[in-house]
Amino acid sequence: MKKLLIGLIAFLLVTVCGLKIYEEVNYGGPSYYTQVTTDGKRFVDKGDNGQEYVDYNYVLTGYDDKGTAQKLTFNGNKARPLHRNAYLKLTYNQKKGVTKWEAVAKSAVPAKALTKLNK
């Protein structure tokens, strides 16, 4: 019984670690910061269930904490444009592009990135 419990715990540990590595490789990456300067390009698409939805596509330049630039293309995933002048933190993956974004306060943007954004 004890060996079975140890084996089960080891299996769960290996599985969780494997899933975390998979997530990081496929969806993780460096963070870039940008400021919304446009309303984005509005488009209408259909979901898997056939229902139409409105979204907005953005192409903005983002900067990492060292001030290195990266062209970022992503959808807002909202039925309205993102707020102009809002600061965003985006995770960029080499394989998939932008995998997530979140609004952040201006004070959360690294100094070098903020300097580049305010040029």
Side-chain angles (χ1 to χ4, degrees):
M1 183 69 172
K2 191 174 183 179
K3 288 183 181 180
L4 179 64
L5 184 60
I6 291 172
L8 182 61
I9 290 172
F11 174 75
L12 290 174
L13 186 62
V14 169
T15 301
V16 168
C17 289
L19 289 173
K20 282 293 190 188
I21 291 170
Y22 174 82
E23 179 183 4
E24 183 62 32
V25 168
N26 288 294
Y27 297 100
S31 295
Y32 288 89
Y33 298 84
T34 191
Q35 187 173 22
V36 179
T37 56
T38 69
D39 286 334
K41 183 177 178 183
R42 183 181 190 271
F43 68 93
V44 178
D45 204 358
K46 285 188 180 182
D48 293 338
N49 61 0
Q51 186 175 355
E52 289 187 346
Y53 65 91
V54 175
D55 203 348
Y56 290 83
N57 182 266
Y58 296 86
V59 178
L60 300 169
T61 301
Y63 300 92
D64 64 8
D65 56 353
K66 296 173 185 161
T68 306
Q70 176 69 43
K71 183 178 175 182
L72 304 166
T73 302
F74 65 100
N75 293 337
N77 298 322
K78 295 185 178 280
R80 60 166 176 73
L82 298 175
H83 294 289
R84 277 189 177 238
N85 300 318
Y87 290 94
L88 303 178
K89 177 181 177 182
L90 303 103
T91 301
Y92 180 77
N93 183 281
Q94 290 290 338
K95 295 178 185 176
K96 300 191 184 245
V98 174
T99 56
K100 66 181 174 180
W101 65 266
E102 65 179 314
V104 294
K106 184 177 181 179
S107 60
V109 178
K112 288 184 180 180
L114 191 59
T115 300
K116 298 276 187 167
L117 289 171
N118 291 327
K119 281 188 173 181

